[in-house]
């Protein structure tokens, strides 16, 4: 495997008129077929007035442009996991199921493993990210398709007017109901939960969880803090590792549609 490459180059008069693919070939010594693949998967960036992913193989460059490549062969060789499906599409937004292993959005090193890029290419519509799920977490996500939709849905999330309900399997026997209010990242955080079932043989509780705040890894961190880490969590907890992956699903989204005033309940 090729070692990751991170190169940025600001164009000078000597580079005037050069094509992006030719300049990348010169800078990296990588074959053009690999570079074309990297460009199509979002690993190449062009900063002019703003920085955007560059996918056009023959894009003419200008003096002052900054061309960057973030090339990781091990990532670019990965395929998008199967199982993405659409629950609903309308004028302003769509609702999707994101399987575990799919990123919400891309990174500097590419976006071919992300739900946002998948929706963009399959629907041929503009896409705007409204919220995120961890890569390891499966479940429901909203994607906006125009600025008006993005602004309205973002406001609902900011104002806590969208109920986000999860299902999880956690280690040990938890109380029948409870709330976890430990601050996270020096900010208030609140997680409500209800025990749905307990498997004594495996010592695992099946819980329904509702977020009152939206801190990074909130559910995973909160349950670890009370001694009941989420099963299969690769980062938090002890005694909860498995070979099946993180047992956490964003199972329901409930909100009043800002465009039709209908109560929407996706599950």
């Amino acid at each position: 495997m090729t070692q990751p490459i991170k190169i940025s180059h600001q164009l000078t008069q000597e580079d005037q008129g050069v094509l992006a693919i030719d300049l990348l070939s010169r800078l990296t010594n990588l074959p053009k077929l690999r570079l074309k693949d990297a460009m199509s998967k979002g690993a190449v960036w062009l900063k002019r007035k703003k920085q955007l992913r560059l996918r056009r193989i023959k894009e003419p460059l200008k003096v002052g442009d900054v061309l960057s490549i973030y090339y990781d062969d091990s990532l670019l060789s990965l395929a998008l996991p199967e199982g993405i499906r659409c629950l609903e599409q309308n004028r302003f937004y769509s609702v999707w199921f994101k399987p575990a292993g799919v990123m919400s959005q891309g990174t500097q090193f590419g976006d071919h493993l992300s739900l946002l890029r998948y929706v963009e290419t399959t629907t041929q519509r503009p896409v705007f990210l409204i919220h995120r799920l961890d890569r390891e977490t499966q479940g429901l996500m909203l994607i906006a398709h125009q600025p008006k939709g993005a602004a309205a849905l973002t406001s609902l999330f900011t104002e806590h007017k969208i109920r986000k309900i999860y299902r999880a399997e956690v280690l040990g026997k938890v109380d029948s109901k409870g709330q976890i209010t430990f601050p996270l990242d020096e900010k208030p955080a609140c997680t409500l939960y209800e025990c749905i079932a307990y498997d004594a043989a495996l010592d695992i509780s099946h819980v329904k969880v509702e977020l009152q705040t939206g801190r990074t890894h909130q559910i995973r961190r909160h349950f670890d803090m009370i001694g009941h880490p989420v099963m299969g969590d690769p980062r938090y907890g002890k005694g909860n590792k498995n070979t099946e992956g993180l047992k956490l699903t964003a199972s329901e989204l409930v909100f009043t549609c800002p465009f039709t005033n209908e109560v929407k309940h996706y599950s």
Side-chain angles (χ1 to χ4, degrees):
M1 290 287 184
T2 304
Q3 290 297 312
I5 297 170
K6 295 190 286 186
I7 294 176
S8 292
H9 176 81
Q10 185 167 23
L11 276 79
T12 65
Q13 288 290 346
E14 294 180 357
D15 301 312
Q16 181 68 43
V18 67
L19 298 179
I21 191 71
D22 293 328
L23 180 56
L24 289 170
S25 179
R26 191 176 80 205
L27 293 172
T28 65
N29 292 318
L30 289 170
K32 288 187 177 180
L33 282 177
R34 285 195 185 183
L35 292 170
K36 290 176 182 178
D37 180 64
M39 292 180 79
S40 71
K41 292 177 177 176
V44 176
W45 296 78
L46 177 64
K47 184 177 181 181
R48 194 164 283 166
K49 292 183 178 180
K50 57 182 179 179
Q51 190 172 37
L52 298 171
R53 296 186 198 272
L54 178 62
R55 303 186 199 273
R56 288 184 57 194
I57 295 170
K58 296 184 178 180
E59 177 73 22
L61 303 176
K62 301 178 181 180
V63 174
D65 287 351
V66 178
L67 185 68
S68 302
I69 182 168
Y70 300 89
Y71 185 94
D72 187 334
D73 190 51
S74 63
L75 288 178
L76 294 173
S77 65
L78 295 177
L80 189 69
E82 296 181 353
I84 295 175
R85 65 179 187 273
C86 182
L87 279 71
E88 181 179 322
Q89 286 199 60
N90 59 49
R91 178 182 173 189
F92 295 101
Y93 64 87
S94 53
V95 184
W96 297 80
F97 176 82
K98 182 191 84 66
V102 176
M103 297 185 293
S104 295
Q105 64 180 143
T107 68
Q108 283 184 322
F109 285 88
D111 60 358
H112 68 296
L113 300 176
S114 73
L115 178 67
L116 199 65
R117 178 60 176 165
Y118 176 88
V119 174
E120 181 181 35
T121 55
T122 56
T123 66
Q124 294 296 301
R125 301 176 69 187
V127 290
F128 301 88
L129 191 71
I130 305 302
H131 63 122
R132 298 172 179 83
L133 291 177
D134 301 338
R135 182 173 183 173
E136 301 93 343
T137 302
Q138 65 178 9
L140 303 184
M141 285 188 61
L142 288 170
I143 303 291
H145 294 293
Q146 52 177 267
K148 181 179 179 181
L153 292 170
T154 298
S155 293
L156 291 184
F157 272 103
T158 302
E159 297 166 9
H160 307 294
K161 292 181 178 179
I162 293 184
R163 292 182 63 197
K164 296 173 286 183
I165 301 168
Y166 294 74
R167 295 297 177 104
E169 295 179 19
V170 302
L171 181 65
K173 186 175 183 180
V174 300
D175 295 335
S176 58
K177 287 186 178 180
Q179 65 176 13
I180 311 169
T181 57
F182 295 115
L184 296 174
D185 305 319
E186 300 181 349
K187 297 177 181 179
C190 183
T191 302
L192 307 179
Y193 70 87
E194 176 183 359
C195 185
I196 305 301
Y198 173 65
D199 186 328
L202 298 176
D203 192 27
I204 290 174
S205 294
H206 297 256
V207 294
K208 180 179 179 180
V209 184
E210 185 165 354
L211 293 178
Q212 301 295 293
T213 52
R215 309 303 176 209
T216 301
H217 297 172
Q218 179 171 320
I219 294 173
R220 298 163 63 181
R221 293 164 73 185
H222 262 175
F223 276 94
D224 182 36
M225 292 168 81
I226 65 169
H228 298 287
V230 178
M231 297 303 299
D233 194 322
R235 182 167 181 174
Y236 303 102
K238 294 180 180 179
N240 60 326
K241 309 312 179 202
N242 63 21
T243 58
E244 304 163 19
L246 184 68
K247 295 298 186 177
L248 180 61
T249 301
S251 56
E252 300 176 58
L253 289 170
V254 186
F255 60 95
T256 299
C257 178
F259 314 109
T260 65
N261 289 321
E262 296 177 86
V263 176
K264 295 289 188 177
H265 187 173
Y266 299 102
S267 61

